[in-house]
Amino acid sequence: MATSRESGFRNSCGGNLDEINVAQQFENMAFRHTNNLSIARRDFLKLSAATMGALGTVGIISIGRGAEAANLSLSRVFQMGSKSKSNVGTIGSFKKLDAQIMALPMIDCHCHVTDHKIWNNSVDVKRINYNSTVCEALTDLGGVGVFSRAGMTAAEQNAIRFGEYSREKSIRTLLKYMDDVDCTHHVIFCKKGMEIAHGIQIPEFTFENMMELDRRADEQKLTLGEYYDRGNIERVLLNMWNTLGISYYGKYMDEITPGELAVDLRCNSRIATFDYYSTAPFSKKTHMFAQMCGSDYDSFDEYDAFLEALAKFYVKKRGVVGFKVSEAYFRPLDYKVTGREAAKQCYNEKMTPEEIRTLADYTSLKIFDLARSYGIPVQFHTGQLWGSTNMAMINPFNLEPTIKLFPTLNFDLLHCGYPFTAEMGMLANNYNNVYININPMLKRSFEYTKTWFELFLNVTSSNHIMFGMDMFTPMPMIGGAYYTRVLVSEVMRQRVERGLLSKEKALRLAEKVLSGNAKRLYKLS
């Protein structure tokens, strides 16, 4: 006997699930019930439906040269059930579930994608002049390491990224290294993002198709909001680290045009980097933050007041929905409760390492308390660092005393603590105020991320799990979002097959981890 939900789906599609092509059914349903979506977002639904129909019961995704190696992690992502007798006759039903999950909008819970204008105003980067859309996607800050490992020199990277090479020379330089990076998930995500955004399927990068991609990008001139619509990205939690934050929260927001503001409001919920090392008292950059929020300081008491003024500026004037802590790059996250007077005694321009640690503990704990008072979460970088493997700094267990100290402050822990991923699961299992932000695990391995997602579902509430891409440009981000839906779809389908979930519950759970949990935690409208 069909449920009312199944009957409604069949009626909206105009036929029987067992007799009508599932992809066409889904496309009909999507177009009848999403009239309020933009045309671009409907195009994404159509692409998802077409993908489901094309993959059939095998589902090997063609990803070009080196596909055999890449498919170790990305093949079989759409297999529709096992060949056991218990699954006979269920393939169409699971295709429906897969299609519904693939159509869900996503909130990227850790994102650095932003306007070039912000980079150009940065106090660190004097100019970013990508002269090629495809070069921008492949050599953004998330991709430069991939090409470095393949042998690309820093001089070549900078010449591409800062516009010193022509478009043609930039592309030919990238192609020299493409055979060695074509199987990496960063490149795979770029290819899928390019297909979604610009309608170009790239089984293998060539000079001709890279130039064609740039031609289309130049012709279409998509805004960031249009990229997100095409990738069905509902919103991102945008983090600007401290130096970019000076540009973004200061001059850019002060001088923003109505058009730029519309795009910003469409795309971004803001996460401000705010910890001791982003606001160290004797840094010129910190004084720039002070001037930005109408404050300044010459003494410890004034510095202490500045921290409160900056928090208020972020939340009340710039609409920040959370703070971000990146201190794992500088120290273990084992904060010690420090009194105000002890911190004040350490405050001087020639502090010893011990005095810096004392002041840093006081400052960061004060910032956490300010977040608690404003009712916003704090994101923490945990796990792997760029350019460092200092294991003492990155274990999320270091945070346990602080998690206990602030039971009403929500801790959004990024990067799964990798490689301390089991420890992350234990923290989420033991504390109601710990949230797991699965990013950018998918860039490392599809199967690895799937395994840990399964573990997290087993040990903690599904209300405490979210996904993010940790990307810097839109095309790898929307490609990564696509494969995130693939991963969630596979896990949900397998749980239904094992009798652990109904299809209706699986769809609701998928919606939670892809967007609902972020909306609730960050109070997003």
Side-chain angles (χ1 to χ4, degrees):
M1 185 73 177
T3 65
S4 58
R5 187 181 184 90
E6 289 170 338
S7 299
F9 186 91
R10 287 172 174 163
N11 291 337
S12 68
C13 295
N16 189 296
L17 281 173
D18 298 327
E19 298 172 354
I20 297 179
N21 177 276
V22 173
Q24 186 60 50
Q25 290 174 337
F26 170 66
E27 185 176 332
N28 291 343
M29 179 194 71
F31 278 81
R32 291 183 187 182
H33 296 289
T34 57
N35 290 330
N36 60 327
L37 294 176
S38 68
I39 294 175
R41 188 168 290 185
R42 291 190 212 171
D43 285 343
F44 178 88
L45 300 180
K46 187 173 182 179
L47 174 64
S48 297
T51 301
M52 296 306 304
L55 289 171
T57 60
V58 179
I60 304 296
I61 296 177
S62 175
I63 47 182
R65 182 178 294 179
E68 294 82 6
N71 278 339
L72 290 174
S73 59
L74 283 177
S75 66
R76 297 179 291 110
V77 294
F78 274 126
Q79 288 178 328
M80 302 303 170
S82 70
K83 295 181 180 179
S84 65
K85 292 182 179 179
S86 61
N87 285 321
V88 173
T90 65
I91 289 176
S93 180
F94 284 120
K95 277 189 176 182
K96 169 190 169 183
L97 177 62
D98 286 329
Q100 289 173 313
I101 292 174
M102 289 301 294
L104 290 173
M106 182 176 176
I107 292 178
D108 182 345
C109 294
H110 186 45
C111 177
H112 304 292
V113 178
T114 188
D115 194 308
H116 287 180
K117 190 174 179 180
I118 297 168
W119 288 91
N120 292 338
N121 289 331
S122 169
V123 297
D124 281 348
V125 183
K126 297 307 178 187
R127 65 190 181 100
I128 292 289
N129 184 27
Y130 288 110
N131 52 23
S132 159
T133 300
V134 68
C135 291
E136 175 182 22
L138 290 168
T139 62
D140 70 7
L141 289 181
V144 289
V146 170
F147 282 89
S148 295
R149 302 296 85 77
M152 181 180 281
T153 66
E156 288 174 317
Q157 290 176 11
N158 289 335
I160 292 171
R161 297 183 65 238
F162 299 141
E164 295 167 9
Y165 285 172
S166 67
R167 176 177 302 198
E168 291 78 6
K169 186 174 182 180
S170 294
I171 290 175
R172 293 192 188 281
T173 302
L174 283 171
L175 286 171
K176 288 195 307 182
Y177 304 99
M178 194 59 69
D179 278 354
D180 295 324
V181 301
D182 208 31
C183 293
T184 64
H185 285 171
H186 180 79
V187 173
I188 293 169
F189 291 174
C190 284
K191 289 178 178 178
K192 178 55 70 173
M194 292 165 189
E195 177 187 342
I196 292 170
H198 296 292
I200 298 180
Q201 292 187 348
I202 303 178
E204 177 180 349
F205 276 119
T206 66
F207 180 80
E208 290 73 23
N209 63 30
M210 293 171 85
M211 288 294 290
E212 172 62 15
L213 174 68
D214 276 354
R215 186 194 67 77
R216 292 198 191 185
D218 288 346
E219 184 180 86
Q220 294 171 349
K221 290 183 171 56
L222 301 180
T223 67
L224 201 54
E226 289 169 330
Y227 272 114
Y228 288 5
D229 276 343
R230 294 189 177 202
N232 205 12
I233 303 292
E234 183 174 343
R235 177 161 292 274
V236 306
L237 298 180
L238 175 67
N239 171 236
M240 296 285 95
W241 57 85
N242 59 338
T243 51
L244 283 180
I246 294 171
S247 170
Y248 179 65
Y249 293 109
K251 183 178 180 181
Y252 181 77
M253 295 304 297
D254 286 337
E255 300 177 356
I256 196 167
T257 68
E260 290 167 339
L261 179 61
V263 171
D264 192 272
L265 293 175
R266 151 67 183 91
C267 297
N268 304 321
S269 292
R270 301 160 190 160
I271 305 288
T273 296
F274 193 17
D275 53 30
Y276 172 77
Y277 287 92
S278 68
T279 54
F282 301 104
S283 164
K284 291 181 180 179
K285 294 173 186 175
T286 305
H287 282 282
M288 295 174 72
F289 276 113
Q291 294 166 9
M292 181 179 73
C293 69
S295 176
D296 211 344
Y297 59 90
D298 290 313
S299 65
F300 173 81
D301 290 339
E302 290 173 342
Y303 174 70
D304 203 36
F306 149 70
L307 296 173
E308 297 175 7
L310 184 57
K312 183 177 181 180
F313 172 83
Y314 278 145
V315 176
K316 298 298 185 181
K317 189 168 183 179
R318 295 306 191 218
V320 161
V321 299
F323 295 152
K324 161 81 181 298
V325 174
S326 297
E327 292 186 315
Y329 279 96
F330 308 101
R331 54 164 293 173
L333 301 179
D334 54 346
Y335 302 99
K336 296 179 181 178
V337 176
T338 302
R340 189 177 187 279
E341 285 305 312
K344 186 173 183 178
Q345 290 175 14
C346 296
Y347 185 89
N348 67 84
E349 289 194 49
K350 298 181 179 180
M351 289 184 285
T352 66
E354 292 76 16
E355 288 173 328
I356 292 174
R357 179 62 182 264
T358 298
L359 182 61
D361 283 342
Y362 170 80
T363 300
S364 290
L365 290 174
K366 180 183 180 76
I367 290 169
F368 305 160
D369 194 51
L370 287 167
R372 178 203 56 76
S373 70
Y374 283 112
I376 62 175
V378 177
Q379 292 187 342
F380 287 81
H381 183 113
T382 68
Q384 182 177 357
L385 307 172
W386 281 7
S388 172
T389 55
N390 189 331
M391 294 295 158
M393 293 208 185
I394 64 178
N395 193 326
F397 263 168
N398 290 326
L399 270 171
E400 187 174 26
T402 306
I403 292 168
K404 292 180 179 179
L405 186 64
F406 293 97
T408 59
L409 172 65
N410 288 317
F411 291 71
D412 182 3
L413 305 187
L414 307 177
H415 313 307
C416 294
Y418 177 78
F420 298 100
T421 318
E423 286 84 344
M424 181 71 78
M426 288 290 291
L427 285 173
N429 177 256
N430 288 332
Y431 298 102
N432 293 334
N433 57 335
V434 171
Y435 290 76
I436 300 173
N437 199 322
I438 303 177
N439 71 85
M441 302 298 289
L442 196 61
K443 286 178 66 175
R444 299 187 175 98
S445 167
F446 184 94
E447 296 297 338
Y448 183 91
T449 307
K450 177 183 166 185
T451 297
W452 288 111
F453 178 40
E454 287 263 28
L455 171 72
F456 297 147
L457 288 173
N458 289 338
V459 301
T460 191
S461 166
S462 58
N463 290 336
H464 286 238
I465 303 171
M466 301 174 290
F467 283 90
M469 298 300 104
D470 196 16
M471 297 291 186
F472 295 83
T473 51
M475 279 190 284
M477 186 193 76
I478 62 180
Y482 175 89
Y483 286 118
T484 297
R485 293 184 185 93
V486 170
L487 181 145
V488 172
S489 173
E490 183 171 287
V491 171
M492 293 301 102
R493 176 172 13 92
Q494 289 175 349
R495 292 203 161 212
V496 173
E497 288 176 323
R498 296 197 297 264
L500 302 177
L501 291 174
S502 67
K503 289 188 285 292
E504 291 80 7
K505 181 64 178 293
L507 184 60
R508 292 198 301 272
L509 198 156
E511 185 276 332
K512 283 201 299 184
V513 300
L514 290 173
S515 65
N517 292 340
K519 290 179 182 178
R520 178 175 50 83
L521 177 61
Y522 286 94
K523 302 173 184 174
L524 307 179
S525 59

